[in-house]
Amino acid sequence: MADLAEAAGVSLATVDRVLNRRKGVKDRTVARVLAAAVELGYMSAEEREKLGGQRPPNVAFLLPMGSNPYLRLLGDKVRGVADTQTRDASPLRCFFIESFDAGALAAALRHHARWADGIAFMAIDHPLVREAAEEVSAAGTRLVTIVSDLPHPAREAYVGLDNQAAGRTAALLLGRFCGAREGSVALVAGSRTYRAHAEREMGFLGLLEEAYPDLRIVGMREGHDDRNENYNHTRSLLEQNPDLVGIYNVGGSSDGIARALAEQGAGDRVVFIGHGLTADTRRLLIEGTMDAVINSDPDQVIGETLARFAQPAGTAGLRPPLKMDLIFRENIPSQYL
């Protein structure tokens, strides 16, 4: 590579960017480096044609750091795709950043826009994030929100569930499972800073008020997708509301809620509905502590996102939300076994 840099009259960093098809190199510089590579016998003419053609976009996934099992699973799957990609595929990397921190997300958008042609991120609905999104989009980096949206002209598309419909679905299931019982119902969320959680709450409350007036809402607790916080919230809810008949976990880390229900002997009487089919929620479904899981297939999230970036900017048009899977103990998909 040093010989190639000398022959082309460029830096080693430029040679690295050209050979790895990264952004930030002028077309004429790419052509000069590749011509030198053929002259030196570093590559064949056929390889030069391939590297000199349309460069696949560099893509970054930005996900919240923490103990949310679904987001960890999503990150593992992104990295798995990256590890098995061919050289002709879009270079793909995944980064975990501080959860619920708008400043950290805004800084990450600006940082990764230096090398990424496209960034997929779980959005925080905050002015700092909107400003960063507008800035990097104006500079040419394409943005796709995943799981939680940021309705803003700077983002090109949203890939995820219709979260208000997901909340209404949770309310319908919980109300039907409670049957003729009266009592109180609680919600646990990661944080309303994620629009997904706020929309799920809105949908849940709306349908419960319309269809199940005998079920009394006792408010939303924010557990920040932390199993210990969720555990403590559930202990408090059970102590303060002896008539508690249902819990809807809007976010992740359902195992903390389940632990509190089991310790208080409430697993059989409290209807428990949550999100994200992972190893922990699968176990809770089988044990009977959870009654239903609303799931969005992480493979579909990744595939749809990469398909968006593979298309020219502005050509994809509107697409429907991702398919919502309702998982019960008796229909757990075999790929999760």
Side-chain angles (χ1 to χ4, degrees), residues 167-168 171 187 200-210 217:
R168 290 180 65 86
L187 293 92
R200 291 171 188 175
E201 177 189 11
M202 183 190 309
F204 184 86
L205 296 178
L207 188 127
L208 213 65
E209 182 178 345
E210 294 169 20
I217 298 294

Side-chain angles (χ1 to χ4, degrees), residues 64 131 259 283 291:
E131 183 70 15
R259 178 159 60 96
R283 173 178 56 81
D291 296 278

Side-chain angles (χ1 to χ4, degrees), residues 95-117:
F95 303 89
F96 284 91
I97 60 175
E98 191 66 34
S99 303
F100 315 107
D101 188 328
L105 178 55
L109 287 170
R110 291 187 173 98
H111 174 75
H112 293 292
R114 297 172 188 169
W115 67 269
D117 300 289

Side-chain angles (χ1 to χ4, degrees), residues 75-132:
D76 288 343
K77 284 183 172 287
V78 171
R79 288 170 172 169
V81 171
D83 289 342
T84 58
Q85 281 183 316
T86 66
R87 188 169 184 172
D88 295 330
S90 295
L92 177 62
R93 299 178 70 186
C94 180
F95 303 89
F96 284 91
I97 60 175
E98 191 66 34
S99 303
F100 315 107
D101 188 328
L105 178 55
L109 287 170
R110 291 187 173 98
H111 174 75
H112 293 292
R114 297 172 188 169
W115 67 269
D117 300 289
I119 299 177
F121 66 107
M122 184 170 166
I124 295 175
D125 195 355
H126 190 279
L128 287 173
V129 178
R130 290 172 177 268
E131 183 70 15

Side-chain angles (χ1 to χ4, degrees), residues 56 64 73 85 162-163 180 208 327:
L73 174 64
Q85 281 183 316
D162 178 334
N163 284 299
L208 213 65
I327 311 297

